[in-house]
Amino acid sequence: MQRSNAGDVTYDDPWYDALASGWGESAAAAPPSARPEPKAAPAAADIYLEVQRSAAFQEVRRRYRRFVVPGAVAFLVWYVAYVVTATTVPGLMARPVAGALNVGMLAGLGQFLTTFLLTWAYVRHARLRRDRAALELRWDTQELARGRGGAA
């Protein structure tokens, strides 16, 4: 955070938009009529369509789909196999393993375990393979919007 000569508070955070939030505006600020009018620029929708068509965005989406689709299919197959086995072969599911613990209970606990493992793997994959690229896209999109008069 910095203070300017007029005592206004400005923030170093590029995500902070002082004018949109209503903070940091001084009484000495130029009236809206004295501010220069921005040039006619493409609408924000045009900027987002341009970003969506970019190679960087397509790469982020490809990385997302390459993890999520096989993960979702594998988990659904495992879940359906559990349900089908429980309904069609109840004798197998009732087979004792240790004490009161049976195959069905182990498979049910396995469902919880695979849910947590898949969530952990998804978060790790996102952090290592997509988050940085997605953040760069976000920065570029905001720069395009500001540079072309879209947002801000």
Side-chain angles (χ1 to χ4, degrees), residues 7-73:
D8 296 334
V9 177
T10 59
Y11 290 92
D12 294 330
D13 183 7
W15 298 108
Y16 178 77
D17 188 354
L19 294 177
S21 68
W23 292 27
E25 296 181 35
S26 69
S33 61
R35 291 185 187 143
E37 289 294 321
K39 298 177 186 175
D46 295 333
I47 293 170
Y48 287 106
L49 286 172
E50 179 181 333
V51 170
Q52 183 181 11
R53 292 181 188 118
S54 72
F57 182 84
Q58 296 303 321
E59 178 65 19
V60 170
R61 294 297 298 167
R62 185 184 65 77
R63 290 178 185 176
Y64 172 78
R65 287 185 187 119
R66 284 184 64 187
F67 181 85
V68 170
V69 171
V73 168

Side-chain angles (χ1 to χ4, degrees), residues 76-139:
L76 287 173
V77 166
W78 161 230
Y79 177 74
V80 169
Y82 169 71
V83 171
V84 168
T85 304
T87 57
T88 59
V89 192
L92 172 68
M93 298 299 260
R95 183 171 295 155
V97 175
L101 193 63
N102 61 27
V103 173
M105 293 171 93
L106 284 177
L109 291 172
Q111 291 288 316
F112 286 103
L113 179 63
T114 55
T115 299
F116 291 123
L117 287 174
L118 187 59
T119 302
W120 170 80
Y122 174 81
V123 169
R124 184 175 185 273
H125 180 268
R127 187 182 71 242
L128 296 176
R129 306 263 191 245
R130 293 191 322 266
D131 285 352
R132 183 169 303 191
L135 185 61
E136 288 174 8
L137 273 171
R138 183 177 180 181
W139 281 96

